[in-house]
Amino acid sequence: ATQGGVGCKPRPTPETPRTDAMENQLFNLKFTAKQLNRMSKKAEKEEKAEKAKVKKAIEKGNMEGARIYAQNAIRQKNQSMNYLRLGSRVDAVASRVESALKMNMLTKQMAGVVKGMDSSLKSMDAEKVRYSRPRLPRCALV
């Protein structure tokens, strides 16, 4: 693989985990969950259409046709439930990935804060802190 070429992404450094890849996966998971929910609604709509066909076939006295339409309606109902179940599972995975991303970002922020505190602690003179500490309560009371 070439580095720095057109269309090539820079390789992640050890300090920066592949958050872009995780965000991309998160997007794909959410998109898939929405797609499955749409497919579930479409199957429900087709189920209702099959039920209407069953009713018409019964009114016309076509029992064999009504039986076929009823089987189609049952199959559409099951398909709808399967899509809904799978969409829910994918949504749960997306939620876990999103939580991991947020935790990762929080960890990075905390690392920055700790580094800042460490550098400021090193720059402080311990003797000055010791001498100024007893004066703090008196200054606060005034």
Side-chain angles (χ1 to χ4, degrees):
T2 61
Q3 274 200 292
V6 177
C8 293
K9 290 184 180 179
R11 290 187 181 172
T13 59
E15 299 96 35
T16 58
R18 296 181 176 203
T19 55
D20 288 343
M22 282 183 70
E23 286 173 355
N24 202 10
Q25 283 295 93
L26 177 63
F27 174 79
N28 288 337
L29 286 168
K30 286 184 177 182
F31 182 74
T32 303
K34 282 186 180 181
Q35 216 171 15
L36 287 166
N37 286 334
R38 276 191 220 111
M39 290 168 71
S40 172
K41 286 181 181 172
K42 183 180 177 186
E44 281 179 17
K45 189 176 178 182
E46 290 173 4
E47 175 202 356
K48 288 179 184 176
E50 292 292 331
K51 283 182 179 179
K53 288 179 185 178
V54 169
K55 191 173 182 181
K56 276 187 181 179
I58 290 174
E59 287 172 357
K60 290 182 179 178
N62 182 3
M63 291 303 158
E64 188 62 31
R67 185 174 291 118
I68 292 170
Y69 291 136
Q71 289 172 351
N72 290 343
I74 291 168
R75 186 171 51 257
Q76 290 296 338
K77 174 78 173 176
N78 290 335
Q79 195 65 34
S80 171
M81 293 306 294
N82 288 336
Y83 285 141
L84 199 58
R85 194 175 296 119
L86 188 58
S88 175
R89 288 179 183 167
V90 170
D91 194 40
V93 171
S95 178
R96 288 188 198 120
V97 169
E98 188 172 18
S99 177
L101 269 171
K102 287 181 181 178
M103 205 51 128
N104 195 4
M105 290 167 60
L106 180 66
T107 303
K108 284 182 186 176
Q109 290 172 351
M110 288 299 292
V113 168
V114 169
K115 283 181 185 175
M117 289 173 67
D118 190 37
S119 64
S120 64
L121 187 63
K122 285 179 182 177
S123 68
M124 280 191 209
D125 187 11
E127 289 296 315
K128 285 182 182 177
V129 172
R130 193 177 69 147
Y131 286 121
S132 65
R133 194 170 151 236
R135 286 184 280 165
L136 286 175
R138 278 187 272 137
C139 294
L141 292 174
V142 175

